[in-house]
Amino acid sequence: DAEITQSPRHKITETGRQVTLACHQTWNHNNMFWYRQDLGHGLRLIHYSYGVHDTNKGEVSDGYSVSRSNTEDLPLTLESAASSQTSVYFCASSNPSGGSEQYFGPGTRLTVT
Amino acid sequence: EDKVVQSPLSLVVHEGDTVTLNCSYEVTNFRSLLWYKQEKKAPTFLFMLTSSGIEKKSGRLSSILDKKELFSILNITATQTGDSAVYLCAFSGPQGAQKLVFGQGTRLTINP
């Protein structure tokens, strides 16, 4: 069955370190998205991609970057982790020829100390 | 600025009750409105609504969209403890812009 996976599921890191969160999907979807979820804010869009070598900034992109070298993967990098980036991160994908529904990965809980 | 507002933010009811969750939106280019259910993990897709006044149903859950008044409701009848979750609504914009903008969510708790 097609799926979307994220790794690691939990991560603790120190302020100032570079961190990369992985997202891999086997749906063969062109669209991929990264969100963060914090209490009181719902899901907020960080970066998104509509295909290989395409990346776009979302609502809360400062301090984050992504790259898309193939269809299956969209890694999210925190260049220099800050305590404000402690959050749960969700990756999602969608089929551009389908509806707008996105399918979510299980999430990564990141703690920056 | 496009935004989605959900109400109430939190709701506690007894098993068997019927609940109505609200989602209002202010968007410049509306394409569709989506509902998701989130338990202690990833959001799972429930409904997508694009046309006003047409109800979507799935078992005890149903949803309807009013594009004139810019809101949607999610109804759950005969609630069960397994319905306890955060319910999220989101809208998507013009064709080709497949981003979603989410509301804050409604935390629903069903007590036995």
Side-chain angles (χ1 to χ4, degrees):
Chain A
D1 284 347
E3 60 177 356
I4 181 166
T5 57
Q6 294 182 233
S7 62
R9 296 293 311 279
H10 302 272
K11 174 82 176 176
I12 300 174
T13 191
E14 295 176 344
T15 302
R17 290 194 180 264
Q18 184 181 78
V19 177
T20 296
L21 309 183
C23 174
H24 179 81
Q25 52 98 2
T26 58
W27 292 95
N28 200 35
H29 286 163
N30 280 337
N31 299 341
M32 295 185 74
F33 307 85
W34 273 105
Y35 296 89
R36 61 178 288 174
Q37 188 173 36
D38 307 286
L39 271 176
H41 287 281
L43 288 161
R44 290 184 291 174
L45 184 63
I46 305 172
H47 282 285
Y48 59 102
S49 168
Y50 288 150
V52 177
H53 302 310
D54 175 74
T55 61
N56 306 278
K57 293 182 179 181
E59 178 189 0
V60 290
S61 61
D62 287 349
Y64 303 94
S65 64
V66 293
S67 62
R68 187 90 180 270
S69 59
N70 59 51
T71 300
E72 296 79 20
D73 299 289
L74 187 70
L76 176 72
T77 297
L78 286 68
E79 304 293 343
S80 176
S83 58
S84 60
Q85 295 176 308
T86 292
S87 187
V88 179
Y89 291 86
F90 288 101
C91 179
S93 70
S94 70
N95 182 350
S97 61
S100 303
E101 62 267 33
Q102 296 178 10
Y103 298 92
F104 284 81
T108 294
R109 182 175 294 277
L110 176 68
T111 302
V112 182
T113 62
Chain B
E1 183 183 331
D2 296 335
K3 67 177 181 179
V4 180
V5 178
Q6 293 187 243
S7 63
L9 294 182
S10 180
L11 183 60
V12 180
V13 300
H14 290 292
E15 201 167 20
D17 288 350
T18 294
V19 298
T20 299
L21 309 183
N22 303 290
C23 175
S24 64
Y25 59 93
E26 295 176 22
V27 304
T28 50
N29 289 291
F30 176 88
R31 181 187 179 197
S32 57
L33 190 136
L34 295 87
W35 284 96
Y36 283 84
K37 177 183 181 181
Q38 184 178 25
E39 297 171 88
K40 292 184 187 290
K41 48 188 187 317
T44 53
F45 173 73
L46 293 174
F47 298 112
M48 182 172 70
L49 303 110
T50 56
S51 301
S52 201
I54 298 177
E55 185 181 49
K56 291 262 181 117
K57 285 181 71 80
S58 176
R60 296 176 294 102
L61 278 67
S62 64
S63 183
I64 197 161
L65 174 67
D66 186 326
K67 289 170 77 170
K68 181 180 177 184
E69 299 298 329
L70 307 182
F71 75 91
S72 174
I73 60 172
L74 176 68
N75 278 321
I76 309 175
T77 59
T79 52
Q80 302 171 358
T81 55
D83 296 325
S84 295
V86 175
Y87 290 85
L88 298 161
C89 76
F91 82 88
S92 73
Q95 183 80 21
Q98 305 230 334
K99 301 180 295 180
L100 294 178
V101 177
F102 282 85
Q104 327 93 298
T106 293
R107 180 173 297 277
L108 176 64
T109 302
I110 312 296
N111 287 328

